[in-house]
Amino acid sequence: MPQSCPLAFRQIDGTIARINAMSVFLLSLLSVFIPEPLILLVLGFDFMIRLYGNRRFSPVFQVSTLLQRVLGLKSEMVDAGAKRLASHFGLFFVFAALVSHLAGLTEVMYAIVAVFLFCLSLELLFGYCIGCKIYFIYRKFVPERR
């Protein structure tokens, strides 16, 4: 079985997705230095808006499109499947960090955010998607339904 990312057969702007990742990275990092659950809550709502609502209402998406326009960055169209999977993982990390923080498990929250920041930095710096690797392993054990 060749290693692959999930395909949605729908294209999105990869440049905006990368700027989104940078914004999420910075907000997650901010949550470490300012341990305020509101930051994680806002980040979680933003992930939910992008995943289950209309992404145009997402503050992170709006900032990303503005930055792309202001900086004159070119669009690079990519399949939406891998980016959607990464957003699901991001929502999971943010939710887990928020629950840990609210439960008073600050060290656990820091560990979760550190892993999340590591995954985000791999995507930002090298274009390496941990989510795609996890998806590949998952597909080995759970075949796709037809």
Side-chain angles (χ1 to χ4, degrees), residues 78-118:
V78 297
D79 189 83
K83 302 305 178 193
R84 187 159 177 81
L85 176 66
S87 291
H88 278 95
F89 280 118
L91 179 59
F92 170 78
F93 275 111
V94 168
F95 179 72
L98 180 61
V99 169
S100 300
H101 189 302
L102 293 175
L105 304 170
T106 310
E107 292 81 14
V108 173
M109 184 215 52
Y110 288 144
I112 291 168
V113 172
V115 171
F116 187 40
L117 289 172
F118 176 73

Side-chain angles (χ1 to χ4, degrees), residues 38-58:
L38 185 61
I39 297 169
L40 294 171
L41 190 63
V42 168
L43 199 51
F45 276 127
D46 190 80
F47 270 114
M48 288 191 291
I49 291 168
R50 284 187 280 141
L51 280 168
Y52 307 115
N54 186 338
R55 69 175 183 226
R56 286 177 174 57
F57 296 125
S58 156

Side-chain angles (χ1 to χ4, degrees), residues 7-135:
L7 296 176
F9 301 106
R10 189 173 51 86
Q11 298 287 301
I12 63 166
D13 189 339
T15 303
I16 288 179
R18 215 152 191 185
I19 298 170
N20 283 346
M22 182 184 65
S23 300
V24 170
F25 181 92
L26 293 173
L27 285 170
S28 298
L29 191 60
L30 183 64
S31 76
V32 170
F33 292 108
I34 304 172
E36 175 61 46
L38 185 61
I39 297 169
L40 294 171
L41 190 63
V42 168
L43 199 51
F45 276 127
D46 190 80
F47 270 114
M48 288 191 291
I49 291 168
R50 284 187 280 141
L51 280 168
Y52 307 115
N54 186 338
R55 69 175 183 226
R56 286 177 174 57
F57 296 125
S58 156
V60 169
F61 180 80
Q62 290 176 1
V63 168
S64 297
T65 54
L66 178 67
L67 280 173
Q68 182 188 31
R69 196 174 29 236
V70 168
L71 297 175
L73 302 173
K74 292 183 181 181
S75 291
E76 176 191 331
M77 301 309 284
V78 297
D79 189 83
K83 302 305 178 193
R84 187 159 177 81
L85 176 66
S87 291
H88 278 95
F89 280 118
L91 179 59
F92 170 78
F93 275 111
V94 168
F95 179 72
L98 180 61
V99 169
S100 300
H101 189 302
L102 293 175
L105 304 170
T106 310
E107 292 81 14
V108 173
M109 184 215 52
Y110 288 144
I112 291 168
V113 172
V115 171
F116 187 40
L117 289 172
F118 176 73
C119 294
L120 281 166
S121 64
L122 287 177
E123 171 62 31
L124 285 170
L125 298 174
F126 307 111
Y128 187 83
C129 178
I130 296 282
C132 289
K133 307 314 175 211
I134 294 170
Y135 176 77

